[in-house]
Amino acid sequence: MLETERLVLPSPDPLNLPLRTVELGCTGRWELLNVPGTPESTLPHGLPPCAPDLHQEAEQLFLSSPAWLPLHGVEHSARKWQRKTDPWSLLAAPGAPVPSDLQAQRHPTTGQILGYKEVLLENTNLSATTSLSLRRPPGPVSQSLWGNPTQYPFWPGGMDEPTITDLSTCEEAEEDIDFEKDLLTIPPGFKKGVNFAPKDHPAPAPGLLSLSRLLEPLDLGVGDEDEGEAKGESEGPRGDSVSASTCSVPLARASSLEDLVLKEASTVISPPEPPKPPPQEQWAIPVDVTSPVGDFYRLIPQPAFQWAFEPDVFQKQAILHLEQHDSVFVAAHTSAGKTVVAEYAIALAQKHMTRTIYTSPIKALSNQKFRDFRNTFGDVGLLTGDVQLHPEASCLIMTTEILRSMLYSGSDVIRDLEWVIFDEVHYINDAERGVVWEEVLIMLPDHVSIILLSATVPNALEFADWIGRLKRRQIYVISTVSRPVPLEHYLFTGNSPKTQGELFLLLDSRGAFHTKGYYAAVEAKKERMSKHAQTFGAKQPTHQGGPAQDRGVYLSLLASLRARAQLPVVVFTFSRGRCDEQASGLTSLDLTTSSEKSEIHLFLQRCLARLRGSDRQLPQVLHMSELLHRGLGVHHSGILPILKEIVEMLFSRGLVKVLFATETFAMGVNMPARTVVFDSMRKHDGSTFRDLLPGEYVQMAGRAGRRGLDPTGTVILLCKGRVPEMADLHRMMMGKPSQLQSQFRLTYTMILNLLRVDALRVEDMMKRSFSEFPSRKDSKAHEQALAELTKRLGALEEPDMTGQLVDLPEYYSWGEELTETRNMIQQRIIESVNGLKSLSTGRVVVVKNREHHNALGVILQVSSNSTSRIFTILVLCDKLVSEDPQDKDPDTPDVPHPDDLVGFKLFLPEGPCDHTVAKLQPGDVAAITTKVLRVNGEKILEDFSKRQQPKFRKDPPLAAVTTAVQELLRLAQAYPAGPPTLDPVNDLQLKDVSVVEGGLRARKLEELIRGAQCVHSPCFSAQYLKLRERMQIQKEMERLRFLLSDQSLLLLPEYHQRVEVLRTLGYVDQAGTVKLAGRVACAMSSHELLLTELMFDNALSALRPEEIAALLSGLVCQSPGDPGDQLPSTLKQGVERIRAVAKRIGEVQVACGLNQTVEEFVGELNFGLVEVVYEWARGMPFSELAGLSGTPEGLVVRCIQRLAEMCRSLRGAARLVGEPVLGAKMETAATLLRRDIVFAASLYTQ
């Protein structure tokens, strides 16, 4: 048995082990050392060191332990270094970055340095106040959302951003500066300068500087220059050739000398390519939505967003183009589902981690879309005038005006933007706000794609073509063929329970117009009117009827609709007052069940709980609550915003059965009903009563029919009086909707925002507007034609204009001017009453057109069409000319001699005389003679038409024809230079100044033409043809240049007038630079001139905040009215001062040529709510404001909300100009206004 040794194990204590661990760095690595000891680390243990607090250190050193201070000589303990004053340091400014660099120019073969060339550097010191490039650094975080009025916008898409090459080319193209005469001594914008001229020399012209005199005392090294010249001469021709080649050909940059040599050799050897014709541009591309998209899920296997339903064909087509980052224009019927396209774009932006902006025309629609999109996507923000929710979200919902402000102010949100969705684009037809859509579309940068959502419009392709040319990208136009829920249109003539069944079909779901239903409605109405006349006498009921008749009509109609389960219903009434009357008159109508009443009551209590006690007892709130409990609702601009939202939400839940609304309810509010009722087909558009336009009718009628719930929608037109005419109904129901039309106009804000940016011009904005699109869309073709004409003109031979031909150009210009003058006089004659009377049957006239040259004719018949009169004239002609036009002598009409120009030199047949009958326009009549023939026009026309038939062509003409032809021939032979004509002044009594002056000018030109010497030269004909060809080409080139220039812009005269207004008021200087007042005006949202003038006149600084708010209400109030006599004297004086300032601005506008009168400009101010706003700012409850004014509550709220926005813009402008007192007062005024029911949060945002 083996002995086993007992192993001696070490102690279990790790410190006794013959090992030591070391931690290496912070990566978690350890190392073992065979040396006993405690674990170590290469990193310090404990918390990282930090500097002690300065306050604690100072307290410890100087207060707690003063032992370190010396006991003696305490006065020397504190040391003080005298600071050297340097006032010039206050004027120090950081140096500008170097914009250029010197680049060596080397010989392409030897690499020898031949010289240096200055090259521009890119992206030097880019900032938001100096550059429009997206490469500039972002601005401050506080300004990233709204931007700043002092920042530059980003480059608009479709406008080429200038590159370094363009800038250098423009620099080289500048005309040479004369350093002897062109140097200024007074800088631009300065009143005084410095005189650098020596005292012994006479002073140069004012403002100029002579460089030679300035450099006289300096040694310019003339000897070195002479030596250089001698050296250059000794180098011989080789040096000259090298220097010439290097100076004439700019060298390109290359990575090596070999590349440079090869590149230069290749460019020299290769022949120049011929210019390629510009490709045919098609910017608007219609998309076929009739065929199904079978491979949709194969093309998009993982869509960014999925719905619970299958998308329609037009939605799939739009989604396919969105995936390819294309811009689309979806013009679909109401309720077709345009929002699906917007939802997919939002989801796509979230997938790409970019941003989307959804714009809407009205604030209410923005709030609704915010609620809908937030429930769907979550990451959604809202920006309106008074609300800012989640501005960092990937999808921002805002009004179009806010997007315009962000674009002009250079907001950094634009950098991350991928899509901009324009909802309800047909709102561009709005006369007041339509220009905002055009401005935004023009100013959007190139990287932003556009989605346009609109109702069906007839010119969708034209509008898309404009945007495509504007942005230089293709726009895909997607339109729906028909509504998803067809509509049936009826006439209702009932007014009592007995007649509640009088509902007549007028237009069925297939679009067929039923005349039978129309005549049945007419008979029913006529029978009731006859019974009324028998009962109450011959007096007919009025067309509109009173409240009692309205109550009977609506009770019978709603009973009929309720019996047929066609509720809910929207009743469109084109008056706020009548909306309230009709809803209030139905006191006996109750359409809700007890459970529905309970739900309505709970919802009302929950929504109104956010209001203060007195606001809950407002008369409008109590009245609306009572109506809602019975299933009735009212919706118009006079209703409080919170009540309108309550009505909308209850209507969308189906708890409001009958809604009386104005036209605004149909603008974008996506709340369809089963039935739509029109109270009338006539509306007041602000100036007159008129019938509804087809587009307006379709927009409102489209609210009928809920997709997925109703097979058809019902549209009913009430016939309270007589039944409308069938033609009017047919035009309204089946006519084409209104086209998208440009409402572009110049505003001072637009002009100032563009003038402050040197690279952007107002003329470029006008060129790109939709109003200029018809004249600008052929610019490429005009440029190509201009280039071809320039080439043709250079190849033409110069005409000889020496000797007798020295006055040939004058002769040509005299002839052209005489022809234009005669044409103008003849046009005035044709347009006058006496001139048309003289052109009667039998009148002998001179005919001049392509077929006839100064041929006599007699009028046989006068007829009229829709545009002008048509004259049937028997005209003399030559048989040879009529049979073979090529036998005509080309020199006779081509080269006009004095006899041809001064007189008419009537046409005389060379052989047998013939005649023809032609239908001519008034412009074909060159002159009206004093001769009148007795002719039988009908007989001559009958005979001529008979002889046009092949079998009667050889028959001789009738005696009446022969007599008329012989009489015309006799006149032509008797008056070779033309028979006497009717004098426009003496015979036709035309007293127009242009006609009288034209006659005098024509006689003067005839004298000059008779005295011309060039016609006696034997070379006259040949040289005249050469000159005419040259002049015609030059004239066409001038026309094309005019069309391509800014001078052809329709709004250019108004632009110059508005700039003159700004220059007169001191907003811009003579050079067009925006001054401080102009920059302040850029910060204003409206009434920019008036507000800026009030600020610079200190008209607001001395007033209290509530007084400022009250006076400014006159600028935002929309309801006209007088301020009243109960105002304090301060407010009365303020009103008069504002009117005086407005009058001064209006007078300046009139003096500068603008069409707006002073009364119209001052009339835009409405001070009817001054007292209301004043009391509200002082703290009066809203319930007590109703007695101060008869204005509806909703309009009062809208006025105060807009006023708060104006106060905020004034606050920013005051800070910009350095007025802290006024800025604080405007901040206080905005705070005083923002309270209670006026600024209650929207229900859609909660």
Side-chain angles (χ1 to χ4, degrees), residues 92-103:
V98 180
S100 60
D101 193 9
L102 291 179
Q103 185 180 14

Side-chain angles (χ1 to χ4, degrees), residues 174-185 204 207-213 215:
E174 290 177 355
E175 55 185 65
D176 296 333
I177 299 176
D178 188 350
F179 286 96
E180 297 292 329
K181 302 177 181 178
D182 292 345
L183 294 183
L184 298 176
T185 61
L208 297 178
L209 174 64
S210 176
L211 185 66
S212 61
R213 295 170 185 168
L215 300 179

